[in-house]
C-alpha cells in the first residue's frame, strides 16, 4: 500500500470510528435512558455509569480502528514503544512548556477577540469532558490519560510512523496525522468556542508530539506529553467551573 492510499484509508477508518462513537447517542433522551439502564445494573450514579460506558465504547471502537490500520503497515506494535534516548527528558520538558505556552497564547487571542467568552465553562460542557467530570475526582486523571495513550498510539504511532514506512516524507506524514487528529477532536464538540480551543490545542499537540515521535522513533515521549496535557486541562476545567457536573437531563457521551 502506498502512503496516499494509507492516508485515505486512515481518514475513512477514523471517520467511521468517531461516527459510531458519537451518532448513536446524539439524542439526549436516548443518552438519559441508556444512563438509567446502566445505573440500574451497576449501582453507579447515572452520570458516572454513562461516563464509564462512553469511555469503553470510545476505546473499543478505537482499538478496532487501530487494528485495521496497523495491519496495513509494516510496523510492529512493540516498535512504537521503543525506549527513547537518555537526553529525551530535556526535549520533553521543552515540549511541555512550549505546548502549554502555545495554548495559553491561543486562549489569550480568543479573550482579546471576545472578552465575555467563558472558556472554562465551554470546555466543561464538551460532551466527553462533561462525562469525565461526573466521575470521582481521581478518575478525572485516569480516563483522560487512557484516551491520550490510545490516541498517541493511533495518530502519532500507527498513522505517522506507518505513513513513513510506506514511503511518505516526514512533512506530509506529520501534516496529515496532525490534521486528522485535530479534525477528530473538533468533530466531538458542538460550539465554535469549543472547536477553536480544541482545534488549536490539538494542532499544537499534534505537531509537537509528532516531532517528538519522529525524532525518537517511538510514541513514549509524545504519550507523556499528551497524558499530562489531557489530565491537567480536564481538571483545570473542573477547578475553574465550580459544580461543573453533567446535569441529569444532559448526559453526554
Amino acid at each position: 500500500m502506498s502512503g496516499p492510499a494509507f492516508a485515505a484509508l486512515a481518514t475513512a477508518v477514523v471517520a467511521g470510528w468517531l461516527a459510531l462513537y458519537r451518532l448513536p447517542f446524539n439524542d439526549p433522551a436516548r443518552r438519559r435512558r441508556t444512563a438509567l439502564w446502566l445505573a440500574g445494573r451497576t449501582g453507579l450514579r447515572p452520570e458516572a455509569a454513562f461516563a464509564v460506558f462512553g469511555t469503553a465504547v470510545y476505546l473499543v471502537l478505537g482499538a478496532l480502528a487501530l487494528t485495521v490500520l496497523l495491519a496495513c503497515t509494516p510496523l510492529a506494535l512493540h516498535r512504537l514503544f521503543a525506549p527513547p534516548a537518555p537526553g529525551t527528558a530535556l526535549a520533553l520538558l521543552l515540549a511541555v512548556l512550549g505546548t502549554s505556552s502555545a495554548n495559553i497564547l491561543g486562549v489569550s487571542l480568543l479573550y482579546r477577540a471576545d472578552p465575555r467568552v467563558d472558556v472554562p465553562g465551554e470546555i466543561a460542557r464538551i460532551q466527553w469532558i462533561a462525562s469525565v467530570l461526573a466521575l470521582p475526582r481521581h478518575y478525572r486523571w485516569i480516563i483522560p490519560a487512557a484516551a491520550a495513550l490510545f490516541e498517541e498510539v493511533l495518530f502519532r504511532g500507527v498513522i505517522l510512523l506507518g505513513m513513513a514506512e510506506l514511503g511518505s516524507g516526514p512533512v506530509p506524514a506529520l501534516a496529515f496525522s496532525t490534521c486528522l487528529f485535530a479534525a477528530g477532536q473538533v468533530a466531538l464538540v458542538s460550539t465554535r468556542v469549543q472547536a477553536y480551543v480544541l482545534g488549536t490545542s490539538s494542532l499544537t499537540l499534534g505537531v509537537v508530539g509528532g516531532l517528538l515521535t519522529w525524532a525518537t522513533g517511538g510514541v513514549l515521549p509524545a504519550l507523556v506529553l499528551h497524558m499530562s496535557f489531557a489530565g491537567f486541562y480536564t481538571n483545570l476545567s473542573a477547578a475553574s467551573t465550580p459544580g461543573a457536573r453533567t446535569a441529569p437531563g444532559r448526559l453526554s457521551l
Side-chain angles (χ1 to χ4, degrees):
M1 179 177 287
S2 67
F6 180 73
L9 175 63
T11 301
V13 168
V14 170
W17 161 37
L18 296 179
L20 290 172
Y21 164 68
R22 177 81 186 265
L23 295 180
F25 298 97
N26 246 1
D27 178 30
R30 184 179 299 156
R31 291 199 300 272
R32 178 63 178 166
R33 289 194 300 269
T34 304
L36 292 173
W37 184 86
L38 290 166
R41 282 152 181 79
T42 63
L44 299 173
R45 291 181 298 104
E47 299 92 336
F50 197 84
V52 173
F53 170 73
T55 302
V57 169
Y58 183 78
L59 295 178
V60 169
L61 292 174
L64 294 174
L66 188 150
T67 301
V68 170
L69 293 178
L70 185 62
C72 297
T73 74
L75 288 170
L77 186 59
H78 67 85
R79 283 183 51 198
L80 304 180
F81 298 95
T88 305
L90 178 59
L92 178 58
L93 175 61
L94 293 175
V96 170
L97 294 175
T99 302
S100 298
S101 299
N103 283 293
I104 290 171
L105 175 61
V107 173
S108 298
L109 293 174
L110 181 59
Y111 276 122
R112 181 175 291 273
D114 183 4
R116 297 170 299 175
V117 69
D118 178 17
V119 172
E122 287 281 350
I123 298 304
R125 286 188 288 272
I126 293 173
Q127 288 186 359
W128 72 266
I129 292 181
S131 294
V132 170
L133 297 183
L135 295 169
R137 186 173 301 276
H138 55 284
Y139 287 107
R140 297 176 185 176
W141 287 95
I142 295 172
I143 287 182
L149 185 155
F150 177 81
E151 289 165 355
E152 286 306 310
V153 173
L154 178 62
F155 290 100
R156 250 63 68 190
V158 174
I159 294 178
L160 173 63
L161 297 180
M163 288 186 67
E165 290 287 332
L166 293 169
S168 295
V171 174
L174 177 61
F176 174 76
S177 61
T178 297
C179 290
L180 186 60
F181 170 62
Q185 296 297 305
V186 171
L188 299 179
V189 304
S190 54
T191 71
R192 287 182 294 178
V193 172
Q194 293 171 358
Y196 172 83
V197 175
L198 255 69
T200 54
S201 62
S202 297
L203 287 172
T204 302
L205 193 61
V207 169
V208 176
L211 291 173
L212 283 172
T213 300
W214 195 271
T216 62
V219 300
L220 290 180
L223 175 58
V224 173
L225 171 66
H226 193 163
M227 291 174 69
S228 61
F229 179 86
F232 175 76
Y233 280 99
T234 300
N235 285 273
L236 181 64
S237 297
S240 303
T241 311
R245 304 176 69 90
T246 306
R250 297 183 59 193
L251 286 166
S252 301
L253 177 64

